[in-house]
Amino acid sequence: MTPQTNLRAKAEEQAARLPALLARAEHLAGAVLLGAHGRRRAGLGDDFWQYRPAQYGDSRRMIDHRRSAMGDQEYVREREWQIAQSVMLWVDQGASMRFASTKDLPDKADRARLLGLALSVLLIRGGERVGLTGTALPPRRGNPQVLRLAEMLTQDDPTDYSPPEHRAMIPHARAVFISDFMGDLEAVKLALTKAADRGVRGILYHVLDPSEEAFPFTGRTIFESMGGTLSHETLKANDLKSRYLERLAARKQELSELCALTGWQYGLHHTDASAQSALLWLYGALDARQGAAA
């Protein structure tokens, strides 16, 4: 097969996955009760929300003279919070994400893409701007953006471990990183540090196959990375179990501490669990992050 033919085959495969992913994401998002997303917060909306006492730094134009004339205190007329926030998404496309321990389970990439796109659908329906980290797809509103997101989320990265993109972080935006976080954590630390420096808060969502938690291997076993770059053979796989589980626990702890340090939130999901419950958690956690920043 020539390189051109191989490239075309991969492009056709990705194009074939696009409608299915989009349909599943739309269905999953539809199963989640969105509710009133425009919460009552002070901002630059058109609807009146509340009066509050004037504070140092308020301009004279903000003073409501009719309300202030009723007493000795000057009051500001605040509007409902209606400015759409920007949410930047990073879904790990690395080869390690294409692992599933059984044919009855989705691979980690499939679940991560589904959750990322369904979350985007919910947010865009709520009037927010959603895009990808980096410069390839800046946050925008509308259904065309959902199509762009779906297209880009079906693209695979041939490397075993794909580092999170940390360029072009929008100040004071929110972000969601979805990955198995099996690669070098220094790249994750760099991305979160740069995000925190720009006032970006968000979620690290850790997606694992249940076998990666249980380590059910015994006897002679050959462990290979999904990209084929790493391989290890052992005659007594069960002897590795305790060390593996210790390292996995240490990695979870490190991710959790990194989130606490940078003001992010850590979540863990297993691919044998419900995608709907995962989406509900993500949406609620992101909403809480927005509430904390408002």
Side-chain angles (χ1 to χ4, degrees), residues 15-244:
R17 292 192 311 213
L18 175 58
L21 173 63
L22 184 57
R24 290 164 56 215
E26 291 274 5
H27 179 75
L28 180 59
V32 174
L33 180 62
L34 182 59
H37 195 72
R39 292 166 301 284
R40 296 284 187 176
R41 292 210 183 94
L44 300 178
D46 295 326
D47 299 329
F48 168 70
W49 167 225
Q50 66 178 359
Y51 291 112
R52 66 164 174 80
Q55 301 171 354
Y56 177 78
D58 291 335
S59 70
R60 299 303 300 175
R61 290 182 300 175
M62 297 173 64
I63 303 298
D64 188 284
H65 297 287
R66 180 177 296 181
R67 174 65 182 84
S68 300
M70 298 173 63
D72 297 330
Q73 174 74 51
E74 289 187 327
Y75 285 88
V76 168
R77 181 183 178 92
E78 289 192 324
R79 305 291 180 175
E80 184 176 0
W81 184 88
Q82 290 180 341
I83 298 177
Q85 296 283 311
S86 292
V87 180
M88 295 172 293
L89 185 67
W90 175 68
V91 176
D92 191 344
Q93 310 278 59
S96 71
M97 293 291 289
R98 298 192 284 278
F99 171 73
S101 56
T102 73
K103 60 180 179 59
D104 298 322
L105 291 175
D107 62 41
K108 292 179 289 184
D110 180 81
R111 179 57 56 87
R113 288 164 173 163
L114 176 62
L115 292 175
L117 188 56
L119 180 63
S120 300
V121 169
L122 283 177
L123 293 169
I124 287 174
R125 284 180 181 175
E128 305 208 32
R129 298 186 295 266
V130 183
L132 300 180
T133 53
T135 59
L137 188 61
R140 295 189 182 93
R141 303 183 186 92
N143 288 330
Q145 183 73 348
V146 174
L147 293 173
R148 297 185 196 102
L149 285 163
E151 180 180 3
M152 297 195 73
L153 289 178
T154 56
Q155 298 174 8
D156 292 331
D157 188 331
T159 60
D160 274 321
Y161 307 108
S162 177
E165 177 64 78
H166 61 265
R167 295 175 299 167
M169 285 285 186
I170 300 174
H172 307 294
R174 291 168 293 155
V176 179
F177 288 3
I178 307 177
S179 173
D180 59 6
F181 298 108
M182 290 292 190
D184 183 10
L185 281 191
E186 290 304 314
V188 181
K189 292 178 182 178
L190 175 62
L192 262 66
T193 300
K194 285 186 172 291
D197 288 344
R198 299 181 70 83
V200 176
R201 299 293 181 266
I203 300 166
L204 285 189
Y205 205 50
H206 199 177
V207 176
L208 293 174
D209 185 277
S211 71
E212 293 174 323
E213 289 274 19
F215 199 85
F217 309 104
T218 59
R220 181 177 180 271
T221 306
I222 300 175
F223 298 99
E224 290 184 335
S225 64
M226 295 300 295
T229 60
L230 301 172
S231 179
H232 176 73
E233 181 178 359
T234 179
L235 296 177
K236 296 181 179 180
N238 49 301
D239 289 348
L240 302 176
K241 183 172 184 176
S242 60
R243 279 182 288 167
Y244 167 81

